[in-house]
Amino acid sequence: QVQLVESGGGLVQAGGSLRLSCAASGRRTSSSYAMGWFRQAPGKEREFVAAINWSSGSTFYADSVKGRFTISRDNTKNTVSLQMNNLKPEDTASYYCTATFRVGTRTSSNTYDYWGQGTQVTVSS
């Protein structure tokens, strides 16, 4: 099993910044895996935010966050982070860390098998 725990959410004004972190633990079934972030606001569908392939470092971003958000990994700490700058009210949502050992479309939630409990991000106008 893989356990994911997010942290770093909070309340900020539009234009502000937050840094989310996700700590991973558990047994790896493959040396190749990916981690990422999805978000979901009340009454809306879960949407892709960003992802990173662990070995290659290749990153993927939703068009809505390109240029504002940056995903990164720390091999020593087994964590993945999401630096969020120039936050907008539209970014308000519960953010979920996710991971997968499977190869697939990184922007699809169906690709991922493990999920954290979520951390709330609220951006006021």
Side-chain angles (χ1 to χ4, degrees):
Q1 290 293 118
V2 175
Q3 295 80 44
L4 305 173
V5 180
E6 306 99 329
S7 62
L11 174 64
V12 298
Q13 293 185 345
S17 299
L18 282 175
R19 184 177 179 86
L20 306 182
S21 295
C22 175
S25 62
R27 184 172 60 187
R28 297 191 298 270
T29 60
S30 174
S31 60
S32 299
Y33 58 97
M35 297 184 68
W37 295 88
F38 282 73
R39 66 188 182 186
Q40 186 168 25
K44 297 184 178 180
E45 297 181 356
R46 184 188 303 171
E47 65 174 349
F48 170 78
V49 177
I52 184 168
N53 287 335
W54 207 259
S55 59
S56 68
S58 299
T59 57
F60 309 84
Y61 295 96
D63 289 341
S64 60
V65 306
K66 286 182 179 178
R68 299 189 299 121
F69 292 8
T70 302
I71 189 170
S72 61
R73 70 192 193 282
D74 188 324
N75 293 337
T76 302
K77 300 179 180 179
N78 290 320
T79 59
V80 61
S81 298
L82 185 69
Q83 179 65 46
M84 305 185 294
N85 297 326
N86 191 25
L87 284 162
K88 304 176 180 179
E90 304 89 89
D91 297 318
T92 296
S94 182
Y95 284 70
Y96 296 89
C97 179
T98 188
T100 184
F101 295 111
R102 296 189 292 175
V103 176
T105 302
R106 296 309 186 199
T107 58
S108 173
S109 62
N110 293 331
T111 300
Y112 300 89
D113 303 302
Y114 307 97
W115 298 85
Q117 81 286 352
T119 185
Q120 180 66 37
V121 172
T122 302
V123 184
S124 64
S125 60

